[in-house]
Amino acid sequence: MAEIVLDGVTKRYPDGTTAVSELDLKIADKEFIILVGPSGCGKSTTLNMIAGLEDISAGELTIGGARMNEKAPRDRDIAMVFQSYALYPHMTVAENIAFPLRLAKVGKAESKRKVQEAAHLLDIEQFLDRRPAHLSGGQRQRVAMGRAIVRDPKAFLMDEPLSNLDAKLRVQMRTMISRLQKHLGTTTVYVTHDQTEAMTLGDRIVLMRKGVVQQMGPPEELYEHPHNLFVAGFIGSPSMNFLNADVTSDGLQTVLGPIPVSDRMRRALEANNAPAQVIVGIRPEAFGDARLVRERRPEGHDLTFTGHVDVLESLGAEKFAYIDLGSSGAIESEHLAEAFQGNVTDQSRSQLIARLDPMSRARRGENIELDYDPDAIDLFEPETGVNLSERV
Amino acid sequence: MSRHRDRTAGWAVVDLVVVVCALIPVVWIAALSFKAPSTISDGRFWPTTWTWSNYAGIFKNDDFVRGLINSIGIGVISTLIAIVIGTMAAYAVARLEFPGKSLVLGISLLIAMFPQISLVTPLFQIERGLGLFNTWPGLILPYITFALPLTIYTLSTFFREIPWDLEKAAKMDGATPFQAFRLVIAPLAAPGVVTTAILAFILCWNDFLFSISLTSSSAARTAPATISFFSGSSQFEDPAGSIAAAAIVITIPIVLFVLLFQRRIVSGLTSGAVKG
């Protein structure tokens, strides 16, 4: 059990590329921290540097107060779970789990007891005599976990451990990992590119982009108060809606119609030299079916607009309406392009996603009047991507 | 349906031609080895009277027995050394980035392609100067040289197929680099090592050129070269029967090896050729 501290940790490759730059991170004892970001953001490199599988170019890494930069992986007393599970194919499950103990020269009886304990915890006792080739993906994943927990290390490092599993199993294993980490109370660093995993698992999230930390904090904080466009676009599923807006004396001119400038927005704009253009960000759940909203709060004074429902996804507990906004509202921003990496979106047209109550009568191919709360709007500077409304 | 049958028949004919072409010399030698000396040149393919006398004769010949011992000893030692060095070199080539890596691969390929005959005279001079001529080490050294490119190339494809994550995992589990190699990588590479060892042994076993050029007596002469020194019991006797019997004897181990390890040898020769 230990605290892991990264102080200005940097990874530079011989060809001059910087994978991670000046990373400061203090991981408290027993904390579950998530490194998340699109591919190539430096999250796996960071994990490998903590593990000792990659050298640290600059900065200092301490685990439990001791400098680790020059220590070999085996002297750091940390365990790692790999995306590929990396089980030894020529050993049985029991031998796989016992391997770290064998290397640590733990006695036979003691080793057997610990393997049993770990297997019991992970519910893989019945597979102990099998070889990894005869296990399913989920079972292999648990064996890999078993090999990590068996020697009671100072910390766990997990490199996308769930990404090879199917969706349903992934959710089960997510819960299992969360429960296991709380039960064992071992400091854990978890790398993923999946923002849902990040939101659900971690005590704290470190969101990275191109080797630089964009924002660090509890999941709710990143969700509710994103520092910039990238964070706002990356965190949340479906992601936040972004619209171009001209700032005029009548308010913000958007494809949804004019949005009156509230006191909060005015303060935000004034504090940032009153830019002429901003990007408006609205979460899908900030929208509601105007008809339902009026029934529930007749005195409401929210904004409304009418849009054409392009696609409607009904998930039972909620409905997602995809509103076609035509080609005018499309946003070109490198911050967003990076945040949406891998998500196929039609670049030429812009659409808006609204999360609606299942009671809504929205229908595909019909128009719907949507209501939204101006207080739920975030304003971003188009060039730098900074969230203007964050600190007011 | 009939087109399908035509095609099958066509292939059968081609296969038959290939098999016959490849086997006729072998069968011929086998047939010769069972002929009595007096009937060697009787113009018949099959012996009129079958005899084991040629086989009995060569095993009474001390030079041939000595040649077999030399062949086995020199072959095994060369193979062992080539495999140990080759395994380490192949591991480095497959896993590490180091300056001069492509040079190492280039040189070993060059050696494999080098015409051996052009080396015989210089090697002869060098070995005489060093006192290695007509000794076991005098043959073991060039055999290692020519077995190494084969072992490095074949083994590096085996090593490349072992996921690197396994080695990282072993390191994280507390293994030293050597423990990771010994406990995780080597057991997984074992089938490849065995296959490569067989290929290397066959290479040494089959050599004639170095053996005939770098030896002068039965002290180090291997079996294939020894056969060329066979003479009949008298000056006028044709030793063809004995030569044929000896050729069959030294072919048997190779045939057995190949039959036993056929699958592995084929996969060893082709592994890495296509992405699996």
Side-chain angles (χ1 to χ4, degrees):
Chain A
M1 315 292 147
E3 182 186 67
I4 302 173
V5 181
L6 288 83
D7 184 12
V9 165
T10 300
K11 177 70 193 180
R12 233 174 278 110
Y13 287 106
D15 64 358
T17 51
T18 306
V20 178
S21 77
E22 302 270 330
L23 178 61
D24 293 314
L25 177 60
K26 201 171 201 168
I27 304 166
D29 188 21
K30 301 186 178 178
E31 193 176 17
F32 196 151
I33 203 152
I34 313 278
L35 301 179
V36 66
S39 60
C41 73
K43 55 191 192 296
S44 290
T45 311
T46 307
L47 194 75
N48 284 341
M49 285 194 286
I50 299 175
L53 296 171
E54 285 197 57
D55 293 333
I56 297 169
S57 311
E60 188 175 51
L61 167 73
T62 58
I63 299 175
R67 182 181 158 96
M68 286 291 154
N69 288 38
E70 292 80 18
K71 290 265 176 75
R74 72 196 149 90
D75 299 324
R76 297 189 185 196
D77 191 21
I78 41 187
M80 188 155 168
V81 177
F82 292 81
Q83 182 177 358
S84 63
Y85 317 137
L87 300 179
Y88 310 122
H90 58 297
M91 300 183 195
T92 63
V93 167
E95 285 166 343
N96 261 286
I97 298 177
F99 190 67
L101 302 174
R102 180 176 159 200
L103 292 172
K105 303 213 157 54
V106 174
K108 276 253 166 64
E110 168 88 353
S111 165
K112 193 162 182 197
R113 189 181 58 77
K114 284 194 165 176
V115 170
Q116 280 295 341
E117 216 175 272
H120 178 72
L121 206 56
L122 293 159
D123 195 21
I124 46 173
E125 286 156 299
Q126 64 273 41
F127 309 128
L128 282 176
D129 294 327
R130 288 202 206 164
R131 303 244 162 167
H134 302 124
L135 298 179
S136 71
Q139 291 161 351
R140 286 181 206 187
Q141 215 285 331
R142 279 182 279 166
V143 176
M145 295 287 300
R147 198 173 60 187
I149 65 175
V150 75
R151 70 192 159 105
D152 204 4
K154 281 191 191 134
F156 294 142
L157 307 179
M158 302 194 190
D159 190 2
E160 310 223 11
L162 303 183
S163 56
N164 284 351
L165 301 176
D166 64 58
K168 202 164 189 178
L169 205 52
R170 200 178 306 166
V171 175
Q172 284 175 13
M173 292 301 296
R174 206 165 70 197
T175 336
M176 194 211 79
I177 290 179
S178 181
R179 204 182 298 130
L180 195 67
Q181 199 271 343
K182 293 285 167 290
H183 172 76
L184 297 169
T186 307
T187 316
T188 303
V189 186
Y190 185 107
V191 162
T192 178
H193 64 268
D194 178 0
Q195 65 89 29
T196 316
E197 261 173 45
M199 292 291 286
T200 50
L201 276 175
D203 296 328
R204 268 199 303 157
I205 294 179
V206 178
L207 178 51
M208 298 177 72
R209 175 196 180 193
K210 292 180 182 164
V212 180
V213 172
Q214 301 294 304
Q215 191 167 353
M216 203 185 284
E220 306 75 36
E221 193 182 306
L222 268 73
Y223 188 80
E224 283 160 21
H225 307 289
H227 281 343
N228 57 40
L229 264 183
F230 175 79
V231 178
F234 192 88
I235 300 286
S237 175
S239 53
M240 193 185 253
N241 298 293
F242 298 98
L243 309 162
N244 281 315
D246 294 319
V247 184
T248 65
S249 50
D250 299 335
L252 305 171
Q253 302 298 329
T254 70
V255 274
L256 305 184
I259 299 172
V261 175
S262 66
D263 281 352
R264 189 180 66 97
M265 290 187 206
R266 182 166 295 113
R267 270 182 278 127
L269 291 170
E270 279 166 4
N272 292 280
N273 308 325
Q277 283 201 314
V278 292
I279 290 176
V280 168
I282 315 170
R283 293 267 178 213
E285 58 271 31
F287 293 94
D289 187 331
R291 197 180 53 82
L292 291 173
V293 174
R294 269 190 220 105
E295 277 172 18
R296 282 171 200 170
R297 327 176 261 139
E299 77 288 357
H301 50 83
D302 285 351
L303 296 163
T304 59
F305 84 100
T306 303
H308 182 261
V309 180
D310 202 18
V311 175
L312 186 78
E313 291 175 350
S314 195
L315 302 180
E318 59 199 3
K319 281 180 178 172
F320 290 106
Y322 292 72
I323 313 288
D324 186 17
L325 296 179
S327 50
S328 54
I331 290 190
E332 281 175 29
S333 161
E334 50 155 334
H335 306 292
L336 290 176
E338 184 107 4
F340 295 150
Q341 195 182 49
N343 297 14
V344 186
T345 47
D346 187 352
Q347 293 291 330
S348 61
R349 300 183 74 78
S350 73
Q351 62 175 9
L352 182 141
I353 305 171
R355 179 171 173 266
L356 303 176
D357 193 279
M359 302 289 284
S360 164
R361 282 195 210 137
R363 277 219 199 111
R364 177 184 181 166
E366 286 181 8
N367 282 351
I368 185 175
E369 191 186 15
L370 292 177
D371 164 289
Y372 60 103
D373 178 2
D375 287 334
I377 292 176
D378 280 306
L379 299 180
F380 299 92
E381 216 283 321
E383 284 299 312
T384 59
V386 172
N387 187 346
L388 302 175
S389 44
E390 195 192 353
R391 270 178 228 93
V392 289
Chain B
M1 190 63 206
S2 76
R3 257 187 72 192
H4 178 75
R5 205 182 300 147
D6 283 354
R7 195 152 24 140
T8 313
W11 279 115
V13 170
V14 173
D15 286 350
L16 197 70
V17 170
V18 170
V19 169
V20 166
C21 283
L23 280 185
I24 277 189
V26 180
V27 176
W28 194 355
I29 288 176
L32 270 179
S33 71
F34 288 107
K35 280 185 175 182
S38 54
T39 62
I40 284 287
S41 46
D42 62 359
R44 291 169 198 269
F45 190 87
W46 299 109
T48 42
T49 47
W50 294 72
T51 168
W52 284 97
S53 66
N54 290 321
Y55 289 92
I58 55 169
F59 281 106
K60 274 185 209 131
N61 180 341
D62 288 342
D63 278 353
F64 181 70
V65 175
R66 176 73 201 177
L68 275 182
I69 293 168
N70 287 341
S71 262
I72 293 169
I74 291 171
V76 166
I77 294 171
S78 307
T79 304
L80 280 180
I81 297 174
I83 282 293
V84 170
I85 300 174
T87 306
M88 292 193 265
Y91 180 74
V93 164
R95 283 293 155 83
L96 308 174
E97 281 304 326
F98 55 90
K101 178 170 153 179
S102 52
L103 193 73
V104 170
L105 280 174
I107 287 177
S108 70
L109 192 65
L110 188 79
I111 292 170
M113 299 295 159
F114 210 86
Q116 301 186 355
I117 190 82
S118 63
L119 286 177
V120 165
T121 313
L123 270 177
F124 176 73
Q125 298 292 358
I126 292 168
E127 293 207 346
R128 272 206 324 174
L130 292 173
L132 289 173
F133 181 74
N134 200 26
T135 62
W136 276 27
L139 281 180
I140 289 172
L141 283 174
Y143 286 175
I144 292 172
T145 310
F146 283 95
L148 267 180
L150 177 85
T151 54
I152 292 174
Y153 268 86
T154 325
L155 280 170
S156 63
T157 57
F158 274 105
F159 281 129
R160 277 197 197 99
E161 279 169 16
I162 299 173
W164 202 341
D165 269 359
L166 290 181
E167 203 180 331
K168 288 188 191 167
K171 281 188 191 166
M172 293 307 300
D173 284 343
T176 61
F178 185 66
Q179 278 176 321
F181 179 77
R182 188 168 60 88
L183 298 174
V184 175
I185 302 301
L188 292 175
V193 174
V194 171
T195 309
T196 313
I198 290 168
L199 290 174
F201 182 78
I202 292 175
L203 189 85
C204 304
W205 182 264
N206 283 352
D207 173 74
F208 176 75
L209 183 67
F210 287 123
S211 179
I212 197 84
S213 322
L214 301 176
T215 57
S216 59
S217 73
S218 60
R221 195 178 283 148
T222 59
T226 308
I227 295 172
S228 70
F229 284 90
F230 276 1
S231 57
S233 46
S234 78
Q235 195 182 344
F236 305 102
E237 202 178 282
D238 188 351
S242 312
I243 291 175
I248 294 296
V249 167
I250 62 169
T251 310
I252 286 170
I254 302 297
V255 172
L256 286 180
F257 271 145
V258 173
L259 285 180
L260 281 174
F261 295 96
Q262 194 177 25
R263 276 229 196 103
R264 279 182 177 175
I265 289 175
V266 171
S267 74
L269 290 173
T270 58
S271 66
V274 286
K275 210 171 169 186

